[in-house]
Amino acid sequence: MTSAPTSPSPKPPTPPSTSVSTHILDTSVGRPAAGVAVELSVRPGPKAPWAPHGASATDADGRCGDLPALPEGATHVRLDFAVEPYLNRDRAGDSGAFFPEVAVVFAVRPGEHHHVPLLLNPFGYSVYRGS
């Protein structure tokens, strides 16, 4: 009697990753904000220190779609947008940035995608959870 080959036991399904994306719309000109540096930091709780986790820059459509998936255990994310160089780019000698940096901190849920758009103008900004 020959025994049937045994198949390896199935691997448990990989849990979905927790991810973040963003884009910037310059509401003063009604166009995407290209070339803005964005840094991503994470922490595992509200009192834990921030750990750098990735960096990118907005593309021609104002999007950062290449930020890395978040590490397991991350509960808070910080996106730091370096907007001053962008806001001063076409304003010869005129500092167009009242807010030279924008830091956005938000809570994340494991396995979900979090899209955080930034609406920007030289004297204000707004953020929201997108889809």
Side-chain angles (χ1 to χ4, degrees):
M1 174 173 194
T2 61
S3 62
T6 60
S7 60
S9 58
K11 293 181 182 178
T14 304
S17 64
T18 306
S19 58
V20 172
S21 62
T22 189
H23 76 268
I24 305 173
L25 177 65
D26 182 341
T27 58
S28 67
V29 293
R31 288 191 298 264
V36 176
V38 179
E39 292 182 5
L40 167 68
S41 300
V42 296
R43 66 183 181 190
K47 297 194 187 259
W50 289 106
H53 187 64
S56 186
T58 55
D59 62 16
D61 198 31
R63 297 184 179 277
C64 282
D66 60 349
L67 294 171
L70 302 182
E72 190 173 325
T75 62
H76 294 91
V77 170
R78 184 177 68 205
L79 291 173
D80 290 300
F81 300 89
V83 298
E84 186 172 38
Y86 167 80
L87 290 170
N88 289 341
R89 191 176 299 153
D90 296 323
R91 293 169 178 88
D94 178 29
S95 177
F98 181 72
F99 297 104
E101 301 173 15
V102 174
V104 179
V105 176
F106 54 99
V108 295
R109 292 187 177 151
E112 290 187 6
H113 176 70
H114 301 81
H115 183 65
V116 182
L118 173 65
L119 304 178
L120 177 67
N121 71 64
F123 301 102
Y125 62 89
S126 178
V127 295
Y128 60 96
R129 180 170 184 180
S131 57

